[in-house]
Amino acid sequence: MSKSKKNTNPIDLNDPQYYINRELSWLEFNSRVLHEACDPRTLLLERLKFLAIFSANLDEFFMVRIAALKQQVEAKVAQLTPDGRTPQKQLDDVRLTLSPLVTKHHQQFEEVLQPLLTSHHIHILDYINLNQKQRTYLDNYFKEQIFPVLTPLAVDPSHPFPFISNLSLNLAVVVKNPDTEQEFFARVKVPNVLPRFLPLPPELGISETGQTAHWTGVPLEQAIAHNLEFLFPGMNIQEYHPFRITRDADLALEEDEADDLLLAIEQELRKRRMGGTPVRLEIKSHTPDPIRSRLLQDLDLTENDVYEVDGLLGLRDLMYFMALPLPELKEPPRQSVVPSRLQRLREPSLSPDALELEEGQDFFAVIREKDLLVHHPYQSFSSTVVSFITHAAHDPNVLAIKMTLYRTSGDSPIVKALIAAAENGKQVSVLVELKARFDEENNIYWARSLERVGVHVVYGLVGLKTHCKTVMVVRREKDRMRRYVHIGTGNYNPKTARLYTDLGLFSCREELGADITDLFNFLTGYSRQKSYREVLVAPVNMRDRFLGLIRREIENVENGFSGRIVAKMNSLVDPQVIATLYEASRAGVQIDLIIRGICCLRPGLKNISENIRVISIIGRFLEHSRIYYFHNNEQEEIYIGSADWMRRNLDRRVEVITPIRDPDIAKDLQEILGIMLADNRQAWELQPDGSYIQRQPGDSVSGEAVDCPETNSQKTLINMALRSTGIASNLIDTKKSYYYTDKKLN
């Protein structure tokens, strides 16, 4: 093989012009989410869902990212980001970028989707357009169900401006005393304990051409607004205007000073419920200046913190309509399959005197045969991960279970299995990460539930979040102890496992078991483990190992061989990793990156990143798995695990990445990467200027003049999972739905 010509022109790879701003890149991601709501190829209720996701994403962005930037500005932090922006410059650019997106978001609902909903007999009405029977029904409903919950709050010299809770929808009301002609200001909170959208009974729904409406109703705030006279009897209602507040919701936790981390976080959660500093005010565009000025003054906000909208506020509540029984307007139900190797298993007995399962019929026998890879949500989470932990909890030969919990569901079957294991006399140790943002309260509840039955609960390490996804089961087998491990890319959460794409490896290889044992000793004790046999652990060795793997590809190219990297992750932010990828590109290494969210690397820059291509896939499922492939001069290495290439993952979190040793699993992962790279339906290509262009069917993604039918990677993977169990006999031939994997990734 001829030696690659290396680009030797001296260039400062830390130059800010080579980096995309993190916050602006995130806005580009949320813009791609919004596109799904605007794309007519997306089914109607799914379009509403994407509008709701866009809104919920934006809420968290303000609560965390914008709040942090505002704190930096207030503290006069002058530090520049890798792309050369100050905190104030970032705030200014975010607003400039976000304002048209917010306008587009609300216009899509008001001008496009709401008329489409009407055409499909789903009527979200304005209160003023109700007929008399409908109005009478809602007026009575207001008196009986809504009025008792409401608390109007006056604002005057004897009544200070009330506290406005985070993400609350409110009415600013102006009333007049008819005797004195004096006007007063009041606030009415739209209660979140009631449904945001109030349905009318079917007999009062709209009927058109003999078709009874699927749903007819009004927003809750309109029912309140048109009955304000009951809240202010004897006063004249002058005007009312909806508004919505977003507050800083990140925890300000001084771990080093906390004697009891659980109590410290509980105290911070109480503060969060009260809410931090306001960071955003959403109002309708026709809100009069006096009301606007009053809100800004009392909330200590500026005009730059105001976002005007036309129509309904708080569109995250549109998720309500996904519950309508209209399958023709939603993606068809997806059937998760059980991996063929697990289909012969029977469920473990839940009785305390359970007999040992017959040899070859238990989960552990399957893992002893060879490593097992599972891919969610295409393969069932409950029949794999939950089943593994449940089998361990009731197997009389299992002596110990060790696990990390970052996020789990409110009715977690995994936690219930861990409790059962402790009650069955097994030694159970669980690291519950109390600092998992917005899941702190849920995790405190589970931590206490586990402690009550004797589980050894650890709350994480000072200064580090434990983000890795690991389980270890210790089992007595004849005259030896064997360790079974699961290392995953996603949380042990059955609910998100139906929505997020994630991978998990089951293995009983001795090297992995020894590494995970060392990891848990590091997490629960005073171990200062500095080396691991196989796994990459952050913040111990992961950064150096990843950089070394990239540099090895550079060396291979410089020695006349080919170099190839394919990496799939959620976000790429770390400047050192980006600079090293630039070095690899300049050396001639071919690099494909599949990055769902934030990407601060600029691909396609001449003499910098000409050999780097970046795509983002936005679809029915949230792409969450992390896969790292290195060609290694035809001695291919592939890894999966919990870490993105971000500073927080590599330096401030405990993460685990495992190598894949089984050649069949390695091929499966390469095929997954190939399917993703061939996507021309949900894939977006990152441009050098930081913008994205969505691929279209017919586009060539390999540079070859070949037939390119529509290729949706997630649908392809659904079909492949079904076909693997014989269910998909009538589905399309997946071998024809993509072509990239007919060739090796190199």
Side-chain angles (χ1 to χ4, degrees):
M1 186 178 294
S2 62
K3 190 171 181 178
S4 172
K5 183 178 179 181
K6 181 179 179 180
N7 192 330
T8 57
N9 297 329
I11 291 179
D12 179 10
L13 295 179
N14 296 314
D15 192 315
Q17 67 176 311
Y18 302 139
Y19 295 82
I20 298 170
N21 179 261
R22 171 192 172 128
E23 317 305 345
L24 298 182
S25 181
W26 186 91
L27 291 180
E28 281 285 343
F29 157 68
N30 214 27
S31 176
R32 298 193 293 280
V33 173
L34 178 58
H35 176 85
E36 290 300 305
C38 301
D39 192 331
R41 296 176 294 179
T42 307
L43 294 169
L44 180 55
L45 292 183
E46 301 288 339
R47 295 174 73 175
L48 278 189
K49 178 187 76 174
F50 280 109
L51 281 186
I53 293 172
F54 176 93
S55 183
N57 286 349
L58 208 54
D59 287 343
E60 185 170 334
F61 180 70
F62 272 90
M63 288 189 289
V64 178
R65 302 301 305 176
I66 296 302
L69 287 174
K70 289 172 74 70
Q71 289 174 2
Q72 292 175 33
V73 170
E74 186 176 349
K76 296 182 169 50
V77 173
Q79 183 177 357
L80 300 180
T81 56
D83 60 290
R85 284 176 168 84
T86 64
Q88 185 59 57
K89 175 63 173 171
Q90 291 180 82
L91 286 174
D92 294 341
D93 289 347
V94 163
R95 179 170 180 83
L96 189 65
T97 303
L98 184 55
S99 291
L101 282 179
V102 170
T103 299
K104 180 180 179 181
H105 179 226
H106 286 271
Q107 284 180 342
Q108 181 66 20
F109 175 67
E110 299 292 337
E111 300 176 10
V112 179
L113 295 189
Q114 194 159 358
L116 282 174
L117 290 170
T118 299
S119 69
H120 285 84
H121 313 292
I122 301 169
H123 304 276
I124 306 174
L125 302 177
D126 287 329
Y127 200 92
I128 58 174
N129 294 329
L130 297 176
N131 61 39
Q132 189 56 52
K133 287 185 178 180
Q134 293 169 332
R135 184 168 297 198
T136 299
Y137 171 83
L138 283 175
D139 288 349
N140 290 331
Y141 183 89
F142 173 85
K143 295 172 188 176
E144 295 173 4
Q145 303 291 331
I146 303 175
F147 177 73
V149 182
L150 300 178
T151 304
L153 296 174
V155 181
D156 57 33
S158 63
H159 298 87
F161 190 82
F163 178 82
I164 310 295
S165 55
N166 186 33
L167 301 182
S168 63
L169 184 60
N170 306 270
L171 296 178
V173 183
V174 177
V175 299
K176 179 187 288 187
N177 185 324
D179 297 329
T180 65
E181 295 294 309
Q182 185 177 2
E183 291 188 344
F184 298 94
F185 179 88
R187 172 256 188 164
V188 177
K189 179 180 179 178
V190 178
N192 55 17
V193 295
L194 297 174
R196 173 69 190 282
F197 297 97
L198 303 178
L200 290 164
E203 63 271 17
L204 295 180
I206 294 177
S207 297
E208 296 176 346
T209 63
Q211 170 71 51
T212 302
H214 297 304
W215 190 93
T216 304
V218 300
L220 174 60
E221 65 270 23
Q222 291 193 15
I224 296 172
H226 287 272
N227 286 279
L228 287 172
E229 65 271 14
F230 293 100
L231 292 173
F232 304 97
M235 304 291 279
N236 292 334
I237 309 300
Q238 299 298 105
E239 55 186 323
Y240 64 88
H241 302 281
F243 69 96
R244 187 171 183 265
I245 296 297
T246 311
R247 292 180 176 271
D248 176 0
D250 215 5
L251 298 186
L253 188 67
E254 296 295 338
E255 294 181 66
D256 293 333
E257 301 177 8
D259 295 326
D260 188 319
L261 184 60
L262 186 145
L263 291 177
I265 289 180
E266 283 187 316
Q267 291 170 1
E268 286 299 316
L269 285 173
R270 283 193 285 270
K271 295 178 184 177
R272 177 191 281 173
R273 291 189 198 102
M274 293 298 294
T277 306
V279 294
R280 176 178 59 164
L281 170 64
E282 295 172 274
I283 59 176
K284 288 201 172 184
S285 54
H286 58 73
T287 303
D289 288 340
I291 298 293
R292 182 190 188 110
S293 299
R294 179 67 181 267
L295 291 172
L296 289 178
Q297 177 182 344
D298 289 328
L299 293 167
D300 194 23
L301 293 172
T302 70
E303 283 291 338
N304 285 334
D305 302 314
V306 178
Y307 286 83
E308 298 180 351
V309 301
D310 290 314
L312 294 178
L313 301 179
L315 293 186
R316 65 185 296 161
D317 295 324
L318 291 175
M319 196 67 79
Y320 166 90
F321 292 98
M322 285 298 291
L324 291 178
L326 300 171
E328 68 276 12
L329 301 182
K330 295 183 280 190
E331 289 283 358
R334 176 193 49 79
Q335 182 176 359
S336 292
V337 303
V338 179
S340 57
R341 289 174 57 197
L342 297 178
Q343 289 178 6
R344 67 177 184 269
L345 299 186
R346 59 175 182 170
E347 289 301 312
S349 171
L350 301 184
S351 63
D353 57 344
L355 297 175
E356 183 175 359
L357 295 172
E358 295 178 17
E359 186 70 22
Q361 287 190 316
D362 63 89
F363 208 114
F364 307 104
V366 173
I367 302 174
R368 285 196 301 273
E369 291 174 359
K370 60 182 299 190
D371 288 359
L372 173 67
L373 181 76
V374 291
H375 194 188
H376 315 300
Y378 311 107
Q379 293 174 321
S380 168
F381 184 81
S382 62
S383 297
T384 55
V385 176
V386 175
S387 180
F388 172 65
I389 299 169
T390 304
H391 274 81
H394 298 280
D395 186 318
N397 291 321
V398 167
L399 303 182
I401 302 173
K402 301 184 180 185
M403 184 174 189
T404 60
L405 272 181
Y406 189 74
R407 302 185 196 276
T408 190
S409 58
D411 56 348
S412 175
I414 288 176
V415 175
K416 292 175 182 176
L418 294 172
I419 290 172
E423 292 173 340
N424 289 338
K426 305 181 191 311
Q427 181 165 304
V428 182
S429 302
V430 180
L431 189 143
V432 178
E433 181 48 78
L434 298 183
K435 303 184 292 291
R437 183 181 290 135
F438 302 124
D439 269 325
E440 302 95 342
E441 192 164 7
N442 189 48
N443 286 0
I444 287 173
Y445 170 79
W446 284 124
R448 287 196 162 135
S449 299
L450 290 166
E451 283 182 321
R452 280 195 293 269
V453 296
V455 172
H456 301 299
V457 178
V458 181
Y459 298 136
L461 302 176
V462 173
L464 297 173
K465 281 187 179 180
T466 303
H467 187 251
C468 55
K469 328 295 182 184
T470 55
V471 180
M472 183 174 72
V473 172
V474 181
R475 190 171 188 261
R476 182 192 291 115
E477 297 177 358
K478 297 180 180 178
D479 57 348
R480 63 171 295 184
M481 294 289 189
R482 195 189 298 268
R483 290 170 288 201
Y484 295 84
V485 301
H486 173 270
I487 301 174
T489 70
N491 297 309
Y492 293 112
N493 187 330
K495 290 185 177 178
T496 57
R498 296 194 290 266
L499 305 172
Y500 294 10
T501 70
D502 273 305
L503 295 158
L505 177 73
F506 291 98
S507 177
C508 62
R509 288 192 293 111
E510 187 59 32
E511 297 85 354
L512 273 186
D515 272 352
I516 300 305
T517 297
D518 289 342
L519 172 72
F520 277 106
N521 290 339
F522 168 64
L523 292 173
T524 62
Y526 289 111
S527 165
R528 294 174 57 83
Q529 189 76 20
K530 295 297 183 183
S531 63
Y532 291 86
R533 300 156 189 81
E534 293 217 337
V535 298
L536 285 61
V537 176
V540 180
N541 66 350
M542 187 177 293
R543 175 183 289 278
D544 290 343
R545 286 288 304 278
F546 269 134
L547 293 175
L549 291 168
I550 298 171
R551 288 172 179 145
R552 186 178 63 188
E553 296 300 315
I554 296 175
E555 293 172 4
N556 286 335
V557 170
E558 290 175 343
N559 290 328
F561 303 104
S562 61
R564 182 86 169 96
I565 297 170
V566 183
K568 179 181 184 295
M569 68 198 83
N570 295 327
S571 298
L572 171 57
V573 176
D574 187 83
Q576 187 180 17
V577 172
I578 292 173
T580 309
L581 289 171
Y582 285 155
E583 291 176 17
S585 173
R586 283 168 55 78
V589 178
Q590 296 298 313
I591 303 170
D592 278 288
L593 303 174
I594 306 166
I595 301 173
R596 183 199 75 223
I598 302 167
C599 180
C600 296
L601 176 149
R602 293 188 185 273
L605 296 175
K606 186 175 182 181
N607 297 326
I608 299 292
S609 55
E610 290 172 296
N611 294 314
I612 304 178
R613 297 156 295 278
V614 181
I615 66 169
S616 169
I617 293 176
I618 306 294
R620 175 180 182 178
F621 308 127
L622 183 90
E623 290 295 337
H624 193 255
S625 58
R626 290 93 167 182
I627 311 173
Y628 300 97
Y629 165 91
F630 301 91
H631 179 53
N632 189 28
N633 193 21
E634 298 188 1
Q635 302 298 311
E636 299 162 318
E637 291 187 10
I638 195 160
Y639 299 77
I640 66 168
S642 60
D644 295 320
W645 282 346
M646 301 178 72
R647 278 177 170 167
R648 71 183 189 189
N649 297 98
L650 300 177
D651 300 334
R652 301 194 300 274
R653 291 184 172 186
V654 180
E655 307 275 9
V656 172
I657 296 284
T658 182
I660 300 299
R661 299 304 188 200
D662 186 286
D664 292 330
I665 293 177
K667 290 178 182 177
D668 289 343
L669 289 170
Q670 289 188 49
E671 184 169 40
I672 291 170
L673 291 174
I675 291 169
M676 295 283 181
L677 291 173
D679 192 303
N680 60 17
R681 169 62 181 88
Q682 306 292 157
W684 297 71
E685 294 182 351
L686 175 58
Q687 307 302 302
D689 64 357
S691 64
Y692 285 76
I693 296 176
Q694 189 177 38
R695 286 178 178 169
Q696 300 296 326
D699 293 346
S700 172
V701 298
S702 67
E704 300 176 3
V706 296
D707 180 31
C708 297
E710 180 174 292
T711 303
N712 182 323
S713 58
Q714 293 185 353
K715 287 186 177 180
T716 298
L717 290 167
I718 289 173
N719 290 347
M720 289 177 65
L722 294 172
R723 185 179 294 279
S724 70
T725 62
I727 298 174
S729 59
N730 61 337
L731 295 175
I732 62 169
D733 183 355
T734 55
K735 290 294 183 183
K736 295 180 180 178
S737 65
Y738 59 92
Y739 57 86
Y740 194 93
T741 51
D742 289 341
K743 303 177 291 183
K744 293 176 71 68
L745 284 176
N746 59 315

